[in-house]
Amino acid sequence: MRRRALLAAAVLVALAGCAGPPSAEGGDPPRTAPAGPGRTDTVAPRPGRTGEAKPSPTGSTPPSRSSATLLLADFGADTVTFLPADGRGRPDAVRVGAAPYGLAVGADGRAWVATAEGLAVVDTRTRERVARVPYRTRTGPVARGEYRGGGMGVALAPDGRHAYVGVNVPDGRGTLEVVDTRTLRVTAVLPVGRRPFDVDVAPDGGRVYVTAHDSFEVTVIDPGDGERGSGAGGAGEGGAPRVERRVEVAPYGTEGGLGSWLKPHYAAVRPSDGHLLLPFEGERLVDLDPATGRSRVRRMTAHTHQHGTALTPDGHLLVVGTGPIDPAEDEGPSLTIRAPDGTERVVPLDGPHENVSASPDGRTAYVTAGYTREGWRDGATAVDLRTGKTRWLPGGTRPVGVAVLE
């Protein structure tokens, strides 16, 4: 793909969305028109250009339907939606706060939902909001849309004692707020990059990673004991959280700045070595060692603009392709299924999607169709990871974040 030409075009026309803030909400560059919602589509997986992949998650033929429930963050509303994964029950919505984005669910059944108004806490068993923790970061008036202030990525410590939420500050650098999950208070605030799309935690809980879209960087944070985080400087004292390092992640360079499309969005942490995996454009996968800041770039095959990521229990990397930057050059929306050995299968999706979560048995991926830009729909696509068959699940309101409850 002609990436340098695209970068120059992005600067000239001040592209919106994954580029910089538009002059008005919805100022999108041309994209291919999404097809209508699929319902019981069957799509054969497209072999990746690196060769035919081995079968995805192992096991016998997966069931076509699941008894699980999806929890969706309704970015287009002020709710989360409980959506039956088998498509047979009725969705159930719970009010949490304006424009919820990311969410994380703990072993205790509580969900932590990043909204524009605060970090909401939802009891997924009783299906009610039990609290909402206000941010200490000033983000301006409560707003909606892609550039609104407030919470974006969110993650939980492995022991469940702290929640970490990336807070977007319009036209400025963001913060990471640390929330004590027992007292429901913010105990630390640390500086991170612009628009913190994603927050991830090392398997042992010893590091927190914040992927900042607009500043091409990952901030590596030592969470300490979760208390007394420093503000501007980011240096903690004793057991306080502190910023350990900032790592630029820009395999195409940073030319274009806020006008560039070629920025990091979401990351996945590989349990085997703790490395971060950050996909770009269905062409490059950055394998980042957060302990050293060094990275390697590996080839990908989908050739489409990429957002959400997740790992299955057996180590397959799932990556959501939202669609082409340049319809004349790029491929359409898809889900990449990348095996641990690097071979890939690419499953086409019906219209733009945003994020993905895998079922606990590793057989099914659930991909939200909310999308942060135009072309979004109210629902999610279930993808059978062995066969590539897809099934449309209508529900929610422009859902972005997703978790699987069982």
Side-chain angles (χ1 to χ4, degrees):
M1 288 192 277
R2 299 188 295 269
R3 291 301 178 194
R4 292 195 177 276
L6 287 170
L7 281 165
V11 175
L12 289 173
V13 301
L15 290 175
C18 289
S23 57
E25 183 70 29
D28 300 305
R31 302 183 73 89
T32 53
R39 287 173 173 79
T40 55
D41 303 317
T42 300
V43 183
R46 186 170 69 247
R49 293 173 179 80
T50 54
E52 194 74 37
K54 297 176 182 178
S56 215
T58 56
S60 59
T61 302
S64 59
R65 295 181 184 271
S66 169
S67 60
T69 298
L70 307 184
L71 184 64
L72 305 175
D74 294 327
F75 191 60
D78 60 357
T79 56
V80 291
T81 292
F82 292 82
L83 179 66
D86 62 7
R88 291 173 176 164
R90 300 187 66 176
D92 184 14
V94 176
R95 292 186 181 278
V96 291
Y101 191 91
L103 55 82
V105 181
D108 61 358
R110 289 191 298 174
W112 300 80
V113 187
T115 81
E117 299 178 72
L119 186 63
V121 188
V122 175
D123 187 324
T124 63
R125 291 164 181 152
T126 62
R127 299 192 177 184
E128 60 182 345
R129 192 190 84 191
V130 296
R132 190 168 64 210
V133 182
Y135 304 122
R136 279 173 40 187
T137 304
R138 294 182 179 180
T139 61
V142 173
R144 299 179 184 273
E146 184 176 359
Y147 304 99
R148 63 121 175 97
M152 296 191 74
V154 62
L156 287 168
D159 62 7
R161 293 181 59 181
H162 293 95
Y164 307 103
V165 56
V167 179
N168 181 43
V169 178
D171 301 318
R173 294 184 71 86
T175 64
L176 181 78
E177 298 207 0
V178 182
V179 177
D180 186 312
T181 58
R182 297 160 297 179
T183 64
L184 300 181
R185 65 184 182 93
V186 176
T187 59
V189 180
L190 297 127
V192 296
R194 298 175 66 108
R195 279 216 287 168
F197 264 53
D198 198 18
V199 178
D200 296 279
V201 181
D204 64 359
R207 295 293 181 273
V208 178
Y209 311 116
V210 183
T211 302
H213 176 271
D214 284 5
S215 49
F216 300 89
E217 68 183 299
V218 170
T219 303
V220 181
I221 291 171
D222 178 349
D225 60 10
E227 301 289 335
R228 306 181 310 279
S230 175
E237 296 180 1
R242 65 185 182 90
V243 173
E244 193 168 88
R245 64 171 54 88
R246 291 185 173 88
V247 183
E248 182 179 280
V249 185
Y252 295 96
T254 61
E255 181 182 350
L258 289 176
S260 171
W261 282 87
L262 310 179
K263 302 171 184 171
H265 293 84
Y266 301 86
V269 182
R270 187 165 55 206
S272 61
D273 58 10
H275 285 200
L276 295 180
L277 304 175
L278 300 103
F280 287 79
E281 307 309 312
E283 293 180 339
R284 303 179 185 184
L285 180 69
V286 175
D287 183 333
L288 171 65
D289 181 352
T292 64
R294 299 190 185 95
S295 63
R296 298 181 64 182
V297 178
R298 307 184 188 280
R299 188 184 177 209
M300 297 190 76
T301 62
H303 299 288
T304 187
H305 191 57
Q306 290 180 315
H307 277 205
T309 64
L311 282 166
T312 65
D314 65 355
H316 285 73
L317 178 67
L318 309 177
V319 184
V320 181
T322 68
I325 296 176
D326 180 356
E329 294 269 335
D330 306 338
E331 301 290 341
S334 64
L335 179 71
T336 291
I337 307 167
R338 184 182 179 92
D341 65 3
T343 53
E344 295 184 345
R345 295 186 304 148
V346 179
V347 178
L349 296 176
D350 188 6
H353 287 61
E354 178 67 22
N355 220 325
V356 59
S357 185
S359 61
D361 63 9
R363 297 179 176 182
T364 308
Y366 298 98
V367 195
T368 55
Y371 191 46
T372 56
R373 317 209 57 219
E374 294 304 312
W376 53 269
R377 293 174 296 156
D378 295 338
T381 298
V383 180
D384 184 315
L385 295 176
R386 188 185 67 88
T387 67
K389 292 182 178 180
T390 66
R391 182 164 47 87
W392 175 249
L393 299 170
T397 305
R398 195 178 182 176
V400 173
V402 57
V404 183
L405 308 175
E406 286 202 333

